[in-house]
Amino acid sequence: MHEEEKEITEETIPRVIEQLREKFGDALLEEAESENGVVVIVNKEKSYALLEYLKTELAYSFLVDVTAVDNSNLESELMKFDYARFMVVYHLYTYQGETPRLRVKVPVHEKELKIQSVTDLWKGANWLERETYDMFGIDFEGHPDLRRILMPDDFEGHPLQKDYPLRGRGERESFNFEKQNV
């Protein structure tokens, strides 16, 4: 848990957490509250079902963002989630209910950089998942058009992975500004 997040006690459980506990039980790995809403960490195997439930049953109809975090330099975070290097993060919003903002985090191991796409739930996930793929190398299975969106097609590597060199691998010197992704 980060500094701005506080542990949820039995007296302060938001209704959305109660509903997720009832439906998904031990698939929830961690829960917290922050000043910007509720944060849940869920195992990868149940993540799609949980996100689908949030959209269809709990009216989290607005997918604000999909991104990832590389925790390779944070030993405490790695240990908590069986050394899953990456955390895919979904920011959701509902126009109903008492807890409008929800962050769903899903640990993803480096050896299997795959997670199911949510483009069939939220059409807006299309470019967000492409950006996460491009920058972190996480494959969204079932995505209709998973290809680079920010970097050139022939670019090697994923710039937001912590092991990517800060000054790059010589791209600045050899970058072809005339070539465009098509």
Side-chain angles (χ1 to χ4, degrees):
M1 251 182 289
H2 298 282
E3 291 177 31
E4 80 265 2
E5 296 174 356
K6 58 184 178 192
E7 193 172 331
I8 295 174
T9 64
E10 292 303 315
E11 297 82 41
T12 64
I13 299 174
R15 179 73 182 126
V16 66
I17 295 294
E18 288 177 2
Q19 292 168 310
L20 291 175
R21 281 181 181 174
E22 287 171 18
K23 182 86 173 159
F24 295 95
D26 53 350
L28 295 178
L29 304 174
E30 193 172 288
E31 307 147 359
E33 265 189 299
S34 73
E35 39 182 81
N36 293 328
V38 174
V39 180
V40 294
I41 301 177
V42 62
N43 71 30
K44 185 168 81 167
E45 291 73 30
K46 298 284 186 173
S47 63
Y48 182 86
L50 181 133
L51 290 164
E52 182 177 38
Y53 176 75
L54 286 167
K55 169 135 193 240
T56 58
E57 302 296 323
L58 301 185
Y60 280 88
S61 58
F62 182 37
L63 176 68
V64 178
D65 196 14
V66 177
T67 190
V69 176
D70 182 348
N71 288 323
S72 59
N73 294 347
L74 300 171
E75 187 69 25
S76 61
E77 287 294 309
L78 290 169
M79 288 174 52
K80 281 192 332 192
F81 304 107
D82 190 33
Y83 287 88
R85 177 178 170 180
F86 296 95
M87 195 72 76
V88 176
V89 184
Y90 300 89
H91 296 263
L92 305 174
Y93 188 84
T94 182
Y95 296 99
Q96 306 167 12
E98 63 210 44
T99 310
R101 298 181 191 280
L102 179 64
R103 233 174 322 165
V104 178
K105 297 180 178 184
V106 183
V108 177
H109 286 83
E110 185 174 18
K111 292 179 183 172
E112 191 175 322
L113 278 176
K114 295 179 182 178
I115 190 165
Q116 189 170 351
S117 173
V118 295
T119 53
D120 60 330
L121 297 176
W122 294 281
K123 298 294 181 213
N126 190 325
W127 282 24
L128 300 170
E129 289 180 353
R130 284 180 61 191
E131 180 181 1
T132 303
Y133 164 73
D134 197 2
M135 296 289 105
F136 290 94
I138 298 168
D139 183 14
F140 290 86
E141 293 181 311
H143 189 283
D145 185 24
L146 194 61
R147 60 188 165 104
R148 289 200 180 270
I149 191 169
L150 298 173
M151 306 306 293
D153 290 332
D154 59 350
F155 187 85
E156 292 184 27
H158 303 282
L160 291 183
Q161 288 186 359
K162 295 270 170 97
D163 55 2
Y164 194 81
L166 289 177
R167 295 196 175 266
R169 296 185 180 127
E171 300 90 357
R172 293 177 186 171
E173 295 78 23
S174 64
F175 193 82
N176 181 354
F177 290 95
E178 303 302 317
K179 187 177 177 181
Q180 297 178 3
N181 288 351
V182 180

